[in-house]
């Protein structure tokens, strides 16, 4: 066999008999992996005169980039908004369990909480790569407390805050640290929010608009100052109105700075958004749609009472409510379920559904050079799926970290 050792001693794995999602198309070609990265086979053959050490038959599976969940509040009894001594074991459990949903990277999300919770929890969220131990952690998503009282949703009113004289300093004092923070959701109509958005953006933190009564002008102004995301579109914001479409109007606004794309999260669980609303959003701005679970601690558990930060929530089937009310509070849907529901509701292609959970969140976070695609030299985080988009196996850095137990099917 020709030697490929001049470049690396690491084994080369060739995944054969598969359809790879690359350049927005399922393409019938092989996937080559070495040292956790996707290889360009032409360079391997012609520059290194190398070949595969191991061949794996994928049995005609789809191979797609791993899913990235940028809004997940917990799951399997773990609530990221609750400070505890064993927080690390909780986040480890969730990161391990979501591998079976096809999630290879995520942003642990904290809902509106007292400052003491942020000060305790945030230092325990460590950005890390995924692996056999679980999905990678990209950084925290802080949803609140700088949000609208009128659109607080499941967030506790007594913990909501406004920007006072210090503006950005108020935010820093509330959170304690921004070291591990990837996304902050705030209401753009709040006084002095513009300077806060600019300061966060300057630090490379994604600003998302949500839980808000902003009109379209205020939303456009926030985007001009650097905001790039909308938290769970349609939920916890003013409903679309033809004379002032509010935040929803950003999907077709002509005031977005050149070269900037606005992304928007959607909870495609069949509960939070009517399929017709999902279709409207998708048809208006398909490149911006990012599937999120907004999953809470009750995901993966039996119906009953669970927590979401400071609140008690009740799970009834796929519905989750603040106890004693009909206020929706997060979701118990898994990411792979959201992908399948999105495809079914919109009639979109498998490629489009898969990219809404992989490429788009990676683009939102500016990490599409390493995650969210199967381009050469990107991280070998990928899934094997059947034609119905059920996950059969999950790989991180080219290593299998989860596989469907066929005997138990």
């Amino acid at each position: 066999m020709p030697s490929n050792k001049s470049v690396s001693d690491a084994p080369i794995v060739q995944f054969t008999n598969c359809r790879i999602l690359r350049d927005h198309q399922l393409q019938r070609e092989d996937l080559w992996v070495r040292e956790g990265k996707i290889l360009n086979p032409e360079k391997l053959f012609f520059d290194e005169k190398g070949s595969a050490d191991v061949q794996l038959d994928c049995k005609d599976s789809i191979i797609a980039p791993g899913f990235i969940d940028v809004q997940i509040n917990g799951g399997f009894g773990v609530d990221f908004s609750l400070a505890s001594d064993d927080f690390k074991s909780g986040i480890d459990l969730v990161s391990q369990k979501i591998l079976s949903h096809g999630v290879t990277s995520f942003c642990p999300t904290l809902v509106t909480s007292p400052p003491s919770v942020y000060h305790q929890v945030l230092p325990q969220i460590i950005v890390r790569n995924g692996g056999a131990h679980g999905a990678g952690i990209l950084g925290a998503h802080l949803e609140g407390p700088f949000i609208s009282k009128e659109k607080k949703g499941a967030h506790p009113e007594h913990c909501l805050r406004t920007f006072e004289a210090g503006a950005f300093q108020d935010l820093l004092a509330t959170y304690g640290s921004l070291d591990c923070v990837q996304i902050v959701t705030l209401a753009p109509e709040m006084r002095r929010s513009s300077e806060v958005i600019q300061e966060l953006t300057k630090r490379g933190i994604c600003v998302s608009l949500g839980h808000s009564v902003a009109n379209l002008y205020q939303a456009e102004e926030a985007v001009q100052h650097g905001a790039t995301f909308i938290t769970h579109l349609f939920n916890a914001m003013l409903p679309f109105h033809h004379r002032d479409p509010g935040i929803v109007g950003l999907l077709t606004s002509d005031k977005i700075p050149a070269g900037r794309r606005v992304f928007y999260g959607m909870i495609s669980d069949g509960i939070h958004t009517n399929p017709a609303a999902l279709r409207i959003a998708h048809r208006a701005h398909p490149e911006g749609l990012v599937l999120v679970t907004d999953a809470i601690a009750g995901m993966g558990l039996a119906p009953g009472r669970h927590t979401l930060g400071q609140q008690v929530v009740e799970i009834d089937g796929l519905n989750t409510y603040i106890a004693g009310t009909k206020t929706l509070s997060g979701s118990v849907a898994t990411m792979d379920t959201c992908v399948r529901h999105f495809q079914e509701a919109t009639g979109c292609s498998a490629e489009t559904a898969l990219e809404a959970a992989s490429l788009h969140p990676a683009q939102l976070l500016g990490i599409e050079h390493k995650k969210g695609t199967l381009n050469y030299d990107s991280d070998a985080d990928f899934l094997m799926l059947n034609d119905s988009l059920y996950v059969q196996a999950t790989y991180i850095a080219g290593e299998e970290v989860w596989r469907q137990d066929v005997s138990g099917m």
Side-chain angles (χ1 to χ4, degrees):
M1 184 180 98
S3 169
N4 53 7
K5 306 307 179 198
S6 57
V7 174
S8 169
D9 287 335
I12 294 168
V13 182
Q14 177 188 7
F15 294 82
T16 66
N17 189 15
C18 53
R19 289 157 292 154
I20 302 173
L21 177 53
R22 188 176 278 152
D23 297 328
H24 319 298
Q25 293 292 325
L26 286 174
Q27 307 186 12
R28 191 163 280 287
E29 54 185 84
D30 295 351
L31 186 75
W32 299 73
V33 174
R34 177 174 61 196
E35 288 186 316
K37 300 283 182 191
I38 294 177
L39 276 183
N40 180 343
E42 285 195 11
K43 278 190 179 172
L44 175 66
F45 302 148
F46 297 115
D47 298 353
E48 301 181 33
K49 308 287 188 278
S51 59
D53 298 294
V54 182
Q55 283 189 327
L56 289 175
D57 182 350
C58 301
K59 302 189 170 77
D60 204 35
S61 296
I62 291 170
I63 291 192
F67 298 149
I68 299 169
D69 194 351
V70 299
Q71 188 176 8
I72 170 171
N73 310 290
F76 313 99
V78 176
D79 184 343
F80 298 145
S81 303
L82 286 184
S84 68
D85 295 335
D86 63 346
F87 184 85
K88 183 185 179 306
S89 60
I91 207 165
D92 287 351
L93 175 73
V94 174
S95 66
Q96 174 71 56
K97 292 272 200 180
I98 57 179
L99 294 174
S100 67
H101 309 157
V103 177
T104 53
S105 303
F106 70 110
C107 294
T109 303
L110 278 71
V111 295
T112 295
S113 304
S116 59
V117 169
Y118 297 114
H119 292 207
Q120 271 182 276
V121 169
L122 289 182
Q124 299 185 70
I125 296 178
I126 312 294
V127 174
R128 68 179 187 206
N129 292 326
H133 57 273
I137 297 173
L138 299 170
H141 177 169
L142 305 181
E143 189 187 356
F146 301 98
I147 58 173
S148 154
K149 192 164 66 170
E150 292 84 354
K151 291 291 176 186
K152 65 184 186 297
H155 292 236
E157 188 169 329
H158 70 279
C159 295
L160 298 183
R161 300 174 83 85
T162 54
F163 298 121
E164 300 304 332
F168 187 69
Q169 292 308 314
D170 297 336
L171 177 139
L172 271 182
T174 300
Y175 294 147
S177 164
L178 293 172
D179 290 350
C180 67
V181 176
Q182 184 75 252
I183 304 173
V184 171
T185 293
L186 52 78
E189 71 274 15
M190 294 181 88
R191 207 167 55 86
R192 305 197 67 177
S193 66
S194 291
E195 57 191 277
V196 172
I197 292 170
Q198 287 170 305
E199 283 293 336
L200 288 168
T201 306
K202 222 187 279 179
R203 287 163 168 76
I205 293 169
C206 164
V207 176
S208 189
L209 311 179
H211 288 277
S212 162
V213 292
N215 59 33
L216 179 57
Y217 174 77
Q218 291 165 324
E220 288 170 335
E221 202 175 36
V223 170
Q224 285 152 12
H225 286 119
T228 53
F229 194 38
I230 302 169
T231 296
H232 44 52
L233 186 76
F234 297 125
N235 295 110
M237 59 188 60
L238 290 179
F240 176 89
H241 188 280
H242 57 284
R243 277 194 292 278
D244 189 339
I247 288 177
V248 176
L250 287 175
L251 270 60
T252 56
S253 168
D254 57 0
K255 302 284 192 298
I256 308 299
R260 178 93 56 80
R261 186 189 305 182
V262 173
F263 292 89
Y264 58 97
M266 295 218 73
I267 310 167
S268 168
D269 61 354
I271 304 290
H272 278 76
T273 315
N274 185 283
L278 199 52
R279 287 191 286 276
I280 287 170
H282 177 246
R283 288 177 194 175
H285 183 30
E287 304 83 28
L289 194 147
V290 172
L291 293 177
V292 299
T293 60
D294 199 18
I296 62 170
M299 176 181 67
L301 301 181
R305 290 202 160 206
H306 302 281
T307 64
L308 176 60
Q310 309 295 303
Q311 312 267 49
V312 176
V313 298
E314 286 176 331
I315 298 177
D316 175 14
L318 280 178
N319 293 290
T320 63
Y321 303 112
I322 293 179
T325 76
K326 286 296 174 191
T327 300
L328 284 176
S329 55
S331 151
V332 288
T334 60
M335 183 58 94
D336 55 322
T337 306
C338 291
V339 170
R340 290 190 296 272
H341 179 262
F342 171 57
Q343 186 189 22
E344 188 185 335
T346 60
C348 71
S349 65
E351 291 95 329
T352 297
L354 292 165
E355 287 188 340
S358 55
L359 174 63
H360 295 177
Q363 290 171 328
L364 165 72
L365 299 178
I367 57 173
E368 69 272 25
H369 58 291
K370 25 175 215 186
K371 307 273 185 201
T373 77
L374 298 177
N375 293 343
Y376 303 139
D377 299 323
S378 60
D379 294 350
D381 297 356
F382 59 89
L383 313 174
M384 285 185 195
L385 307 105
N386 64 18
D387 285 355
S388 303
L389 303 189
Y390 282 86
V391 181
Q392 298 170 318
T394 303
Y395 285 75
I396 293 183
E399 301 289 330
E400 183 181 293
V401 292
W402 179 83
R403 178 167 286 278
Q404 174 72 53
D405 179 8
V406 183
S407 62
M409 283 176 74

